[in-house]
Amino acid sequence: MSPDSKLSLLCRLVDNLPEPETTKTKERDLLISLSQILKVIQTWIRELDKETESKKICYGESVLHHEEHSCLIKIVTDLMLLLTVESQYVQHSVGNVLVVFSEFVALSGSGWDSFIHSLSTCLELAIANVFLCSWEPSRTEVEDSNCDFSSYEVVKSSLKGGDWSTAAGIVRVLRNILKHLKQECDDQLLEVYLGSVSSFLSNVPWESMDEIHVDQSCDAWDGDPQNCCSKDASVFRSFGAKEPKVLFLGIFIQFLCSLVEQSSAVETEVGSQVQYPVLSMVISLVPKLACWCLCKKGKSVKLSVSQYFRHKLLMLMLRISYVTCLGCSTLILWLQLLHEYFEELLQKPISKLEAGQDECLEGSPFLLGLSNGELDGMHSFHLQRQTLLLFLRCCFSLMSFTGETSKQCVTSKTILKSCLTVASVSDLDYCSRNKGLLELYNWLQGHLPDDILVDHERYLEKCMGFSLSFLQLYMHEDDVLFMVLLQLLSVPFCSEQWLNGEKQTSQYLKDATHHVSNLFNPVHLFHLFLAELHYDHQVLLDYLISKDVGISCAEYLLRCLRMVHNSWNVFATFSMDWKVVNQSCCKKRRLLLDVSDFQGELSSIPEQCISQSLEEEDEKEFEYTCENHQNKRQPFKEAKDCLISLKASVESLHRKNLFPYNPLVLLKRLSQFQELCHS
């Protein structure tokens, strides 16, 4: 059966679906019919997959005729009509059918443009129904897809009952389609998709949403606060009927996060200052999203909903910052947003985590014994890490601007003055780098002891204590840990560039540069990082072979080894207060067990043996700590042994073809380090 005839058959199947009724029996019949249609389309996809093995079907090699195009539009509009029903089960099933149907259209080689454009138009129409303004969505997308005027009117009439829930369902479909495109790695399909989404983002008058505030009152949420940072928007579905705007905003932010990540691969050139349509539009939406989701209108805000929105907004801003070069006006605006909506997280003390704190995975049974307050406290550590990482990225990005770039970005002295929180505005002049440095220094002053600048004898010791506490904050979240460590490697570059670029620098700014360089010295942080691992090269090896953080860890080690080569004396003569180090939380090597063997043999292990092994482990740990405290081995010696042992382990795995990627560059740097140690 050809794709054209399949479209006609599918059109008849969708047309014969039972009418959506409120009774349970009718709803069940509709769900069964949707499930059958889903299976039919999946069968067609398997058949097309077999055909593509022998003959590659290229996108756009065939064009839909008017009849087939009408079938495609009718399928979409009929399914969209079902998205307007109140049943969440029906909406979920319809969404699954649309996603699978998108796979079929993509494989068939024709109709992709019409399908994606029709979805975008439907989303515009659904949003238009709830906006408090007279706005007519653009029909260009549909008309450009070989669709006549009547087709647009059919789509429009099918969504007369559309609301925020309908819009949320369409956004969820678009996001799931984007996930599939990511797996397929088809640039042509993705470009059409991004073009259609870009048109949607530009057509919607987002300023109209300013009049529709989100009610995050306590009675709108009955869920568990441990779900506040879930990666799935299902945490909102329990109260979607009560607050559909919250449901839409939650899924919409998720969609933008996925969109930024995927569009950067097609649109953004590495190191380029050019921002393409989708990224530019998403960046312009960030302040609006913060206002809509975290608006402070005197309403009672439920902590779980607020934390979820904070988590997603921070994730969106971080992803944007990693895929494009932001202008200083955007960076300054983001610093304002951080102060307005995340100030308590910026000012939250950076203290050592207690044993067992923040170490449980989401959904872990260990969370059941914790109160809601304790759970909220655990999640606040995660939000604090995200907030501080974004804050550091904004500050260091401003500090790294060259003089010419700063002049181009900052056109008015008044703009900078209005954003600054430090009193000595006369020293700032026009340079955005001053803004970044002073923001960072002003934040640090709120976390440093009052006498750190007076007690010169213990200055470096107190700097080390702050650096260690800051590092420990991130030790329980590996991916964010290496993000912040890589970010802090830019401290010497930013500081030197700032001082060298200014002929007249105030003493206040010189002091700020000096303290920032001491508090976030990358060589010192590398030593402290290794000390946190107990100088156990096996933990480093676990990081390197990790699927999640392996590449980030390798990059950090490579850059640190090059930095050590260039600053050998600083690395070799580094010393630290062992009283401070003994307070370390110390990341320990993970034990890798075969789950199937472990479950079968656990019952056969005597309880006495388990207790004895745990006691022996504790005794070894105690002996190790006492031995290091008594001998006070130099950090250089400890670091040298750790890195040389790591080199031997990586070489062994590489010889056996067991290392997950090519480690030759890393081995070369480790060999250079070993030669420096011997010399």
Side-chain angles (χ1 to χ4, degrees):
M1 186 184 299
S2 66
D4 295 345
S5 57
K6 290 176 181 176
L7 276 178
S8 302
L9 174 58
L10 183 59
C11 187
R12 291 194 297 271
L13 291 175
V14 173
D15 191 48
N16 292 330
L17 283 172
E19 291 293 329
E21 299 286 346
T22 56
T23 62
K24 292 293 183 181
T25 304
K26 293 292 185 180
E27 180 182 348
R28 184 187 61 185
D29 294 341
L30 178 58
L31 290 173
I32 292 174
S33 299
L34 287 170
S35 177
Q36 292 173 344
I37 291 177
L38 183 71
K39 292 179 180 179
V40 169
I41 301 175
Q42 288 173 335
T43 302
W44 293 346
I45 291 175
R46 286 192 292 268
E47 294 174 357
L48 285 174
D49 280 333
K50 293 180 180 179
E51 294 179 10
T52 54
E53 291 178 1
S54 56
K55 177 185 177 182
K56 177 66 176 178
I57 298 180
C58 300
Y59 161 74
E61 71 175 8
S62 61
V63 180
L64 286 179
H65 299 293
H66 180 77
E67 182 180 351
E68 286 76 25
H69 183 272
S70 299
C71 285
L72 188 147
I73 296 298
K74 189 175 188 315
I75 292 170
V76 173
T77 52
D78 287 349
L79 291 174
M80 285 296 158
L81 182 62
L82 295 177
L83 275 181
T84 61
V85 303
E86 294 183 359
S87 171
Q88 295 181 3
Y89 302 106
V90 173
Q91 291 181 4
H92 181 73
S93 298
V94 171
N96 289 340
V97 171
L98 284 168
V99 173
V100 175
F101 182 51
S102 73
E103 298 179 29
F104 168 75
V105 174
L107 279 173
S108 65
S110 59
W112 178 254
D113 302 58
S114 301
F115 175 74
I116 293 298
H117 293 334
S118 62
L119 283 182
S120 298
T121 303
C122 289
L123 182 54
E124 287 188 49
L125 289 166
I127 294 177
N129 287 339
V130 293
F131 271 8
L132 303 177
C133 64
S134 56
W135 162 58
E136 180 71 15
S138 171
R139 63 187 63 179
T140 306
E141 294 290 343
V142 179
E143 292 173 351
D144 288 347
S145 306
N146 300 323
C147 182
D148 55 20
F149 179 79
S150 60
S151 297
Y152 174 82
E153 292 300 323
V154 170
V155 174
K156 184 177 180 180
S157 62
S158 67
L159 287 165
K160 281 184 178 180
D163 56 7
W164 286 120
S165 297
T166 308
I170 301 174
V171 172
R172 189 185 294 115
V173 170
L174 287 171
R175 181 169 178 258
N176 290 333
I177 291 174
L178 184 60
K179 288 181 179 180
H180 174 71
L181 292 178
K182 181 180 179 180
Q183 298 173 353
E184 293 298 317
C185 300
D186 192 316
D187 290 342
Q188 287 183 308
L189 297 178
L190 184 58
E191 286 177 6
V192 173
Y193 178 95
L194 293 177
S196 184
V197 170
S198 177
S199 178
F200 152 71
L201 292 174
S202 62
N203 290 338
V204 175
W206 297 107
E207 62 276 2
S208 300
M209 273 194 72
D210 295 340
E211 304 175 12
I212 308 176
H213 300 296
V214 174
D215 184 4
Q216 299 173 4
S217 56
C218 294
D219 60 353
W221 169 258
D222 300 320
D224 192 336
Q226 76 181 61
N227 293 326
C228 68
C229 292
S230 172
K231 293 183 179 179
D232 185 24
S234 60
V235 296
F236 285 121
R237 291 172 188 166
S238 62
F239 65 98
K242 296 181 180 179
E243 278 298 329
K245 295 184 292 295
V246 177
L247 176 67
F248 170 77
L249 285 173
I251 297 177
F252 185 58
I253 296 175
Q254 283 187 324
F255 171 63
L256 294 180
C257 287
S258 303
L259 191 64
V260 166
E261 182 181 21
Q262 191 64 17
S263 65
S264 62
V266 177
E267 295 185 340
T268 305
E269 300 175 3
V270 177
S272 173
Q273 288 284 349
V274 179
Q275 292 176 353
Y276 291 81
V278 171
L279 285 174
S280 299
M281 293 172 191
V282 175
I283 291 171
S284 67
L285 281 175
V286 168
K288 296 180 182 295
L289 288 168
C291 178
W292 300 333
C293 299
L294 304 173
C295 75
K296 301 176 181 179
K297 296 291 181 181
K299 295 183 179 181
S300 176
V301 178
K302 185 65 177 177
L303 182 59
S304 302
V305 180
S306 174
Q307 284 190 332
Y308 179 87
F309 278 137
R310 285 181 168 193
H311 165 69
K312 286 301 179 183
L313 282 169
L314 289 169
M315 179 185 294
L316 175 62
M317 296 165 78
L318 282 170
R319 287 192 180 181
I320 293 173
S321 71
Y322 277 101
V323 300
T324 187
C325 296
L326 297 171
C328 69
S329 58
T330 300
L331 294 169
I332 291 174
L333 177 59
W334 283 16
L335 286 172
Q336 286 180 307
L337 294 176
L338 287 174
H339 285 302
E340 183 174 357
Y341 298 106
F342 303 90
E343 183 66 24
E344 74 280 7
L345 292 171
L346 287 174
Q347 301 304 327
K348 183 179 179 180
I350 299 175
S351 57
K352 174 188 173 184
L353 303 182
E354 300 297 331
Q357 210 173 6
D358 199 42
E359 293 181 348
C360 296
L361 295 175
E362 182 182 336
S364 168
F366 296 103
L367 293 177
L368 299 178
L370 299 179
S371 65
N372 290 349
E374 291 172 325
L375 286 170
D376 292 334
M378 287 176 57
H379 296 141
S380 69
F381 284 116
H382 171 72
L383 294 176
Q384 184 185 18
R385 295 182 193 114
Q386 286 184 306
T387 302
L388 293 182
L389 175 58
L390 180 60
F391 178 78
L392 291 174
R393 286 191 63 78
C394 291
C395 291
F396 286 128
S397 296
L398 286 171
M399 292 170 63
S400 64
F401 275 118
T402 62
E404 292 299 321
T405 307
S406 299
K407 292 177 183 178
Q408 293 173 2
C409 292
V410 183
T411 58
S412 173
K413 184 175 181 179
T414 308
I415 296 177
L416 270 179
K417 284 186 177 181
S418 63
C419 298
L420 293 172
T421 58
V422 181
S424 56
V425 181
S426 59
D427 292 332
L428 300 177
D429 295 329
Y430 306 95
C431 189
S432 64
R433 289 173 289 169
N434 296 3
K435 170 65 174 175
L437 177 61
L438 291 175
E439 277 281 352
L440 180 58
Y441 187 47
N442 190 43
W443 170 77
L444 285 171
Q445 286 181 315
H447 292 277
L448 296 175
D450 295 334
D451 61 343
I452 189 172
L453 302 179
V454 180
D455 189 358
H456 298 289
E457 295 181 359
R458 300 185 59 194
Y459 170 74
L460 290 179
E461 176 186 332
K462 291 183 178 180
C463 287
M464 202 77 65
F466 172 84
S467 302
L468 183 61
S469 297
F470 184 84
L471 184 61
Q472 288 174 354
L473 177 66
Y474 286 88
M475 289 303 295
H476 295 294
E477 200 166 350
D478 295 345
D479 53 344
V480 189
L481 167 66
F482 286 104
M483 284 181 179
V484 77
L485 286 174
L486 287 168
Q487 183 62 54
L488 293 176
L489 286 176
S490 62
V491 168
F493 170 75
C494 292
S495 302
E496 293 172 6
Q497 184 187 54
W498 191 92
L499 289 175
N500 293 336
E502 293 294 323
K503 295 181 180 180
Q504 295 181 350
T505 304
S506 68
Q507 187 61 43
Y508 184 82
L509 294 175
K510 289 181 179 178
D511 291 342
T513 305
H514 173 73
H515 296 313
V516 169
S517 300
N518 285 329
L519 290 166
F520 292 126
N521 186 302
V523 177
H524 297 174
L525 283 173
F526 185 45
H527 264 294
L528 292 174
F529 170 68
L530 295 177
E532 281 294 294
L533 306 183
H534 266 240
Y535 297 101
D536 187 350
H537 73 281
Q538 293 285 1
V539 182
L540 280 177
L541 189 61
D542 284 345
Y543 280 140
L544 285 171
I545 64 178
S546 168
K547 177 182 177 182
D548 299 321
V549 299
I551 301 301
S552 298
C553 178
E555 181 184 357
Y556 178 66
L557 285 179
L558 286 170
R559 294 178 62 180
C560 282
L561 290 169
R562 183 175 60 184
M563 175 186 63
V564 166
H565 183 274
N566 297 332
S567 308
W568 181 254
N569 289 336
V570 178
F571 179 80
T573 59
F574 175 79
S575 62
M576 51 188 167
D577 186 355
W578 285 93
K579 294 180 181 179
V580 175
V581 176
N582 284 338
Q583 297 173 1
S584 164
C585 63
C586 291
K587 190 85 169 185
K588 297 182 180 179
R589 181 164 56 96
R590 290 166 285 185
L591 297 177
L592 304 179
L593 299 174
D594 187 302
V595 177
S596 59
D597 295 340
F598 179 72
Q599 291 176 343
E601 298 176 3
L602 181 61
S603 58
S604 62
I605 300 177
E607 183 177 352
Q608 183 179 1
C609 294
I610 298 177
S611 302
Q612 182 178 356
S613 61
L614 292 175
E615 291 174 0
E616 291 175 354
E617 185 68 24
D618 291 339
E619 289 176 1
K620 290 179 181 179
E621 182 67 25
F622 176 76
E623 292 173 359
Y624 178 85
T625 304
C626 292
E627 179 184 354
N628 277 288
H629 181 63
Q630 293 172 0
N631 295 340
K632 292 187 178 180
R633 297 181 68 193
Q634 290 297 320
F636 168 71
K637 172 65 175 174
E638 298 278 10
K640 181 192 74 172
D641 293 346
C642 173
L643 293 173
I644 291 177
S645 298
L646 175 67
K647 174 178 174 291
S649 297
V650 174
E651 285 177 334
S652 175
L653 289 175
H654 183 53
R655 283 195 300 268
K656 300 173 183 177
N657 292 324
L658 296 177
F659 206 77
Y661 50 89
N662 190 342
L664 293 180
V665 177
L666 178 60
L667 289 173
K668 181 180 178 181
R669 290 277 172 85
L670 289 170
S671 298
Q672 292 173 348
F673 172 81
Q674 188 173 15
E675 292 173 2
L676 281 173
C677 293
H678 292 326
S679 63

